[in-house]
Amino acid sequence: MTDHECSNGWLFESSGDGQQRARRCPKCASRAFLQRIGREDCTWKTWEEMPALADQVALLREWKGKFPWSVLLRAEKAQSNFGAGKTHAVIATAVEWIERGRDVQYWFVPDLVDQCRHAIADNSMNLTTFGEYKHLVVFDDLGAEARTDWTRELIDRVLDLRYRRSLPTLIASNLDLVSLEDRYPRALSRMCEGLRLVWNAPDRRREF
């Protein structure tokens, strides 16, 4: 039982030839996505408007993923952007894509790095699992992961695979371009062909 018209997450429609076709219920799919990542509060409906980010939000919501291939939310030079709503914004964008009938993967980058390290050691995962996923992939908090040569190679490989196939990729980072250049020069070069949004606003966690 749901609060809208669907049957166990599916919508059934009759076509002109009398056949019944099924498609995934976008509302159920978006709810399941938010429950899976534990962020049921992160939608555009719950977004608190911030004048400093109005233009950036508009550009992010207009992005369709075909061109440019990626969007990078990053900090201003010599600043950080903690508490500026990046995670909320990228998850809300993912929900909007799902509600349009598209598929999404969401990864908190430190968790992705840990999972890849264990899976590769066990020979149970190939990096192309993430690099060749044809739908939107969200990489949240790039730069929060441990800084090692192995991590740099992993991030470079995954983003390079997506770049060469022009696959939609949404990246959020607390780092500015100088810091990203220092950590991931090859990956940043590819991200520079995408849309880059300076995502700076007051830290909402510090507001009393």
Side-chain angles (χ1 to χ4, degrees), residues 17 86 91 99 123 144 178 184:
D17 57 6
K86 296 182 306 303
I91 293 175
E99 290 178 346
N123 293 318
V178 173
Y184 297 114

Side-chain angles (χ1 to χ4, degrees), residues 163-177:
Y163 165 76
R164 287 190 279 116
R165 292 163 176 78
S166 297
L167 297 173
T169 308
L170 178 54
I171 304 155
S173 178
N174 289 319
L175 303 179
D176 63 9
L177 286 181

Side-chain angles (χ1 to χ4, degrees), residues 75-117:
E76 183 60 274
K77 183 178 180 181
Q79 296 184 28
S80 65
N81 54 8
F82 298 112
K86 296 182 306 303
T87 292
H88 191 135
V90 297
I91 293 175
T93 300
V95 168
E96 197 166 70
W97 280 52
I98 292 170
E99 290 178 346
R100 293 174 184 158
R102 306 178 74 174
D103 292 328
V104 176
Q105 282 188 2
Y106 169 88
W107 287 100
F108 176 58
V109 175
D111 289 347
L112 172 65
V113 170
D114 285 344
Q115 184 165 331
C116 285
R117 181 181 291 110

Side-chain angles (χ1 to χ4, degrees), residues 14-196:
S14 296
S15 60
D17 57 6
Q19 299 294 316
Q20 197 173 56
R21 307 191 192 286
R23 64 182 177 89
R24 186 180 61 174
C25 173
K27 183 173 288 189
C28 288
S30 62
R31 283 181 180 174
F33 170 77
L34 289 170
Q35 289 170 355
R36 186 167 62 251
I37 64 175
R39 297 301 300 265
E40 297 176 61
D41 59 323
C42 292
T43 67
W44 286 122
K45 290 181 180 179
T46 60
W47 174 258
E48 295 180 14
E49 297 294 339
M50 290 181 276
L53 296 175
D55 292 342
Q56 291 89 328
V57 168
L59 288 170
L60 180 59
R61 298 191 69 177
E62 290 170 4
W63 176 60
K64 306 304 180 189
K66 293 184 178 179
F67 182 84
W69 74 283
S70 68
V71 176
L72 169 65
L73 280 57
R74 51 92 174 180
E76 183 60 274
K77 183 178 180 181
Q79 296 184 28
S80 65
N81 54 8
F82 298 112
K86 296 182 306 303
T87 292
H88 191 135
V90 297
I91 293 175
T93 300
V95 168
E96 197 166 70
W97 280 52
I98 292 170
E99 290 178 346
R100 293 174 184 158
R102 306 178 74 174
D103 292 328
V104 176
Q105 282 188 2
Y106 169 88
W107 287 100
F108 176 58
V109 175
D111 289 347
L112 172 65
V113 170
D114 285 344
Q115 184 165 331
C116 285
R117 181 181 291 110
H118 293 302
I120 292 172
D122 295 337
N123 293 318
S124 60
M125 179 184 292
N126 190 304
L127 293 184
T128 57
T129 300
F130 309 103
E132 294 181 349
Y133 180 73
K134 294 181 180 180
H135 306 283
L136 174 65
V137 175
V138 177
F139 295 112
D140 191 13
D141 227 347
L142 178 67
E145 67 285 351
R147 184 172 183 172
T148 66
D149 290 342
W150 186 90
T151 301
R152 184 180 66 250
E153 182 179 349
L154 170 71
I155 299 298
D156 282 348
R157 176 75 183 280
V158 170
L159 291 180
D160 181 63
L161 285 167
R162 300 194 66 74
Y163 165 76
R164 287 190 279 116
R165 292 163 176 78
S166 297
L167 297 173
T169 308
L170 178 54
I171 304 155
S173 178
N174 289 319
L175 303 179
D176 63 9
L177 286 181
V178 173
S179 299
L180 284 168
E181 174 76 29
D182 180 51
R183 291 186 66 155
Y184 297 114
R186 189 164 182 262
L188 179 62
S189 174
R190 283 147 176 73
M191 286 187 277
C192 282
E193 285 193 5
L195 181 64
R196 289 168 290 159

